[in-house]
Amino acid sequence: ATRFALVRVRGEKLRLMLESAPRHDLTVHLVDVSEAALAKASRAVVASDAREVVLHQATYEDGLAALEREAPRAGRRLVLFLGSNIGNFDPPGAEALLVSIRRSLRRGDGLLLGTDLVKPERDLLLAYDDPLGVTAAFNRNLLVR
């Protein structure tokens, strides 16, 4: 049995990963603080042959803890943390997250951690100061919560 825990993965990357995943007994756990991001990612999963999709609207740390409490430990686990999200943490926070992920893994499990090296300044400005104000609205929502 193979089980996947997907942490903060969206759309295209998720779809590509699942296309190459074993098709038997696959359970996908999606973790994100954004309901919209979870909905987008779950649509990509539904298009795959995943047996079960579990959504965790939570921080990465809380989602990982929920996965540990809720998910039976049959089979292997692969934690995916794609993109450059690890760069959103300060060094102690990134280390703490990676330590908690490591604690949740057993022999035979895996972690696929994606990072970005260098982005053009224009791309970074659009990502963090987008013209529609989506990022600003997201950040204000986090502050309110």
Side-chain angles (χ1 to χ4, degrees):
T2 302
R3 302 182 66 78
F4 285 82
L6 303 178
V7 180
R8 185 64 186 237
V9 183
R10 297 182 186 167
E12 185 66 14
K13 291 176 189 175
L14 174 58
R15 187 186 60 73
L16 291 171
M17 292 297 300
L18 289 174
E19 283 178 0
S20 63
R23 300 282 190 231
H24 62 283
D25 196 25
L26 175 65
T27 301
V28 177
H29 291 261
L30 300 170
V31 179
D32 203 303
V33 294
S34 165
E35 185 176 352
L38 283 171
K40 181 178 180 181
S42 66
R43 285 191 298 273
V45 173
V46 168
S48 75
D49 289 335
R51 184 176 62 102
E52 181 182 359
V53 178
V54 181
L55 304 180
H56 303 273
Q57 186 173 357
T59 64
Y60 307 129
E61 300 87 350
D62 291 342
L64 192 59
L67 179 65
E68 285 300 303
R69 285 190 308 274
E70 297 169 14
R73 281 297 298 186
R76 294 178 296 166
R77 180 176 287 171
L78 173 63
V79 175
L80 301 176
F81 202 82
L82 302 178
S84 59
N85 295 317
I86 196 75
N88 294 333
F89 291 87
D90 62 12
E95 181 179 358
L97 176 65
L98 293 172
V99 165
S100 70
I101 291 172
R102 175 62 189 105
R103 281 191 198 122
S104 74
L105 299 176
R106 295 184 182 168
R107 184 177 298 272
D109 290 346
L111 167 65
L112 179 59
L113 176 66
T115 60
D116 288 334
L117 297 176
V118 177
K119 290 276 191 196
E121 182 178 348
R122 181 179 173 279
D123 292 350
L124 288 172
L125 288 174
L126 283 174
Y128 291 97
D129 188 21
D130 63 284
L132 298 176
V134 173
T135 303
F138 178 80
N139 289 334
R140 281 193 294 278
N141 183 50
L142 284 177
L143 290 172
V144 168
R145 293 178 187 277

